[in-house]
Amino acid sequence: MSDTTGAVPLPNIAILISGTGSNLQAFIDACECGELRATIRIVISNTPDAKGLQRAAEAGIATRAIDHRDYDSREIFDAALGSALQEYDIDLVILAGFMRILTPVFIEPYLGQLLNIHPSLLPKYPGLHTHQRALDARDKEAGVTVHFVTPELDSGPAIIQAKVAIQSDDSAESLAARVLVLEHKIYPLAAQWFLQGRLQLTNNGASLDGELVPESGVPYP
Ligand code: GRF
């Protein structure tokens, strides 16, 4: 569909955050430079003082805080989140450091349109403290995975994965910093694939350009 100027409107994304919002910033930058052909319609945080909300406001993007502490259960919080998003015509929902476990109340209506980034080489280390766990296990490499969200925590089909070599003097912080650089590259890329219609969630896993994506995601680069 086109508007009166004949321009085809860009697809709309919503970004959910809880903290610093460096991945959100990567999306803002990717939209500004045209690498990601999308409009960020709304940024929602479950923590009202999240730094990412300032980043969004500075970029002129609508923001909203929906504080999970104001809700009696995860399901009621998720319903509030879902109805906030319904005010916008959202094509893709991006979880970018959103630190709440979502229930099917939120996930099911957006199944196949909901992406997360997890700082580990999934299926290794779902959950928290991923970099420390990789160091404790004396792994040789660490990394990050973008995946479709399904009701099982950090277990939806992988889309893209980037690795870094672990150095002998790495701390969880130094490792996280190197991984974050890659997060900012692969997450907008996965979103662009989705919005171009190249990427889908199927019953067998993620599909990119009609091919089933390997279990650990497309390797990046
Ligand atoms: C990132 O490491 C992301 O992978 C994880 O939470 C962190 C969020 O960082 N889920 P930021 O808020 O995007 O800077």
Side-chain angles (χ1 to χ4, degrees), residues 19-24 55 96-99 116-119 131 144 180 183-184:
T20 314
S22 70
N23 278 287
L24 162 67
R55 293 181 190 265
F98 184 71
M99 301 305 285
N116 184 42
I117 189 158
H118 183 74
H131 300 307
V144 57
L180 206 54
E183 296 190 24
H184 300 160

Side-chain angles (χ1 to χ4, degrees), residues 7-209:
V8 177
L10 294 176
N12 289 327
I13 62 180
I15 303 189
L16 273 50
I17 61 165
S18 300
T20 314
S22 70
N23 278 287
L24 162 67
Q25 189 65 54
F27 273 83
I28 293 171
D29 296 345
C31 288
E32 275 174 4
C33 75
E35 217 168 86
L36 178 58
R37 304 268 305 141
T39 301
I40 305 172
R41 285 286 279 124
I42 179 77
V43 172
I44 299 179
S45 174
N46 66 308
T47 51
D49 58 355
K51 185 175 170 217
L53 287 176
Q54 285 171 34
R55 293 181 190 265
E58 278 160 23
I61 299 166
T63 64
R64 198 178 289 197
I66 302 179
D67 191 335
H68 60 276
R69 291 167 298 193
D70 294 340
Y71 298 86
D72 288 338
S73 70
R74 284 189 192 278
E75 286 77 10
I76 298 171
F77 168 73
D78 282 7
L81 208 53
S83 51
L85 283 192
Q86 271 166 26
E87 292 173 35
Y88 306 89
D89 186 17
I90 296 301
D91 298 290
L92 175 65
V93 181
I94 295 293
L95 305 182
F98 184 71
M99 301 305 285
R100 294 295 298 168
I101 294 174
L102 291 164
T103 69
V105 170
F106 182 81
I107 294 172
E108 268 165 16
Y110 286 103
L111 197 65
Q113 295 171 275
L114 181 55
L115 306 187
N116 184 42
I117 189 158
H118 183 74
S120 81
L121 299 174
L122 287 174
K124 267 191 163 179
Y125 312 131
L128 297 174
H129 311 301
T130 52
H131 300 307
Q132 190 57 54
R133 287 157 71 194
L135 291 173
D136 292 347
R138 301 188 180 281
D139 288 351
K140 291 194 168 50
E141 52 191 13
V144 57
T145 310
V146 175
H147 65 96
F148 278 108
V149 175
T150 57
E152 301 78 40
L153 180 68
D154 299 330
S155 299
I159 297 164
I160 183 167
Q161 188 170 76
K163 294 179 177 175
V164 300
I166 296 181
Q167 316 289 348
S168 56
D169 59 350
D170 258 328
S171 62
E173 291 71 29
S174 64
L175 197 49
R178 286 208 308 289
V179 170
L180 206 54
V181 174
L182 293 170
E183 296 190 24
H184 300 160
K185 294 192 161 81
I186 67 171
Y187 209 1
L189 178 61
Q192 178 64 10
W193 287 346
F194 180 88
L195 295 173
Q196 287 174 319
R198 297 175 56 191
L199 174 69
Q200 287 95 23
L201 176 66
T202 75
N203 289 336
N204 300 321
S207 157
L208 179 66
D209 296 332

